Amino acid sequence: MAAIQRSDEQAKLWKGSAGCAWVEAQELLDRTLQPFEDLLVEAIVATGARRVLDVGCGTGSTTRAVARALGAQGHCVGIDISEQMIDAARRLAGQDRTSAEFICADAQTHAFQPASFDLLMSRFGTMFFADPVAAFANLRRAGSADAALCSIVWRSPEENPFMTTAERAAAPLLPNLQARRADAPGQFGLADARRGRAILEESGWTEIDLRPIDVVCTLPESELIGYGTRFGPVGVALREADAQTRARVASAVRAAFDPYVQGADVRFTACCWMVRARR
Ligand SMILES: C[S@@+](CC[C@H](N)C(=O)[O-])C[C@H]1O[C@@H](n2cnc3c(N)ncnc32)[C@H](O)[C@@H]1O
């Protein structure tokens, strides 16, 4: 069944370089992923839930959007393992005076008050758990008797070639580039629907439904090199690269994204699962 990651590799990444990269690019990422935030807000408002937990909330854009949509009738809390992400989330919530609250902790093990949320949601924050069954069981305990889960996760790398364009282009230039491991914690950790369903069943969730959603996302062409070289395995490998290698990788990565460029914009289709379940 679900592979348990023995090391805390993902936690280390998010508390370190990946967290820094996301905070630096927060505005760009939030604009690019806005369609998913809109989907979640719409889905959550439709359920009538009042107490919502945002799992792996990052810098908190979705947490704040849900808090605004719920208004004074509701409450939205974001949890994230990365201190720099949570610092940014608190700062941004302070700036726009939203009532969202944030916890810096591992959602897999955090001692939530039992039955304290009507709905647990996530935009790409539930694929990184070292032990996914333990994590989803812990989240389930945080849910009230009839609580719902509503989480967006990536489908396979094959269905999302945009997401692996940079590493395919950079591979010949970066011998230390880490290969993606199927079913391991990471961006595509819940891509396999059968595995995702089994993890949720084993952790006690019922009425499990994984629905494919294909969402067009855009970002400015001017941000493409930064985007392609900052995140994922390329971002990690480039930390140790010299200036000449960095320049060669940037050029190869930019060229590889050509098929997605339309004038001043870059457009790609994000192929994901909308995962729903009931406590
Ligand atoms: C791909 S980012 C998504 C962030 C945010 N949901 C968004 O859409 O902007 C994944 C987030 O999950 C967080 N994360 C990873 N493992 C976690 C864990 N065990 N507990 C809580 N958060 C975790 C990371 O720190 C990161 O902020």
Side-chain angles (χ1 to χ4, degrees):
M1 240 297 309
I4 297 176
Q5 197 173 53
R6 278 186 193 85
S7 75
D8 55 354
E9 195 183 299
Q10 286 296 325
K12 260 194 220 149
L13 270 177
W14 287 110
K15 289 176 181 179
S17 60
C20 286
W22 269 69
V23 170
E24 281 164 17
Q26 173 261 320
E27 275 186 51
L28 170 68
L29 292 169
D30 282 342
R31 264 185 283 134
T32 306
L33 301 178
Q34 178 74 42
F36 293 103
E37 179 172 307
D38 296 342
L39 278 175
L40 281 171
V41 170
E42 194 184 308
I44 287 156
V45 168
T47 66
R50 293 278 182 257
R51 301 170 302 163
V52 177
L53 179 69
D54 183 4
V55 182
C57 64
T59 54
S61 180
T62 311
T63 329
R64 299 196 314 276
V66 170
R68 282 193 298 273
L70 296 177
Q73 311 300 319
H75 191 50
C76 192
V77 177
I79 182 166
D80 201 282
I81 201 165
S82 162
E83 206 171 304
Q84 60 262 53
M85 296 281 237
I86 287 293
D87 285 349
R90 289 188 176 131
R91 177 173 48 75
L92 292 164
Q95 274 169 17
D96 63 10
R97 294 167 185 253
T98 28
S99 63
E101 280 179 25
F102 296 95
I103 302 167
C104 185
D106 185 341
Q108 181 177 308
T109 52
H110 180 66
F112 294 103
Q113 191 183 335
S116 51
F117 296 101
D118 309 318
L119 192 140
L120 298 95
M121 64 143 174
S122 184
R123 182 179 79 174
F124 302 128
T126 58
M127 302 91 76
F128 306 97
F129 299 126
D131 182 343
V133 172
F136 280 103
N138 192 42
L139 293 172
R140 186 174 168 272
R141 280 188 291 274
S144 56
D146 197 32
L149 173 74
C150 190
S151 173
I152 296 174
V153 304
W154 290 99
R155 302 210 305 274
S156 67
E158 292 73 27
E159 290 168 283
N160 287 288
F162 181 87
M163 285 293 148
T164 52
T165 297
E167 61 216 63
R168 280 180 281 119
L173 304 166
L174 294 173
N176 58 343
L177 194 70
Q178 261 209 345
R180 307 249 187 188
R181 282 171 295 145
D183 295 344
Q187 180 177 10
F188 299 108
L190 293 176
D192 178 345
R194 268 200 304 186
R195 181 170 176 275
R197 180 178 289 278
I199 288 169
L200 288 174
E201 276 170 3
E202 204 176 322
S203 53
W205 290 88
T206 61
E207 297 178 36
I208 299 159
D209 179 50
L210 281 86
R211 195 148 302 189
I213 51 170
D214 293 351
V215 176
V216 174
C217 298
T218 55
L219 65 147
E221 190 278 336
S222 56
E223 306 265 16
L224 192 46
I225 290 182
Y227 177 88
T229 54
R230 200 188 294 243
F231 304 109
V234 175
V236 172
L238 279 182
R239 284 204 315 258
E240 289 154 22
D242 57 38
Q244 196 188 6
T245 307
R246 294 185 69 85
R248 290 173 66 208
V249 167
S251 156
V253 165
R254 172 61 193 84
F257 276 115
D258 266 349
Y260 299 97
V261 177
Q262 296 179 10
D265 289 330
V266 179
R267 288 167 76 84
F268 66 96
T269 301
C271 294
C272 304
W273 297 114
M274 170 72 92
V275 182
R276 287 174 181 271
R278 182 74 58 191
R279 188 187 189 283

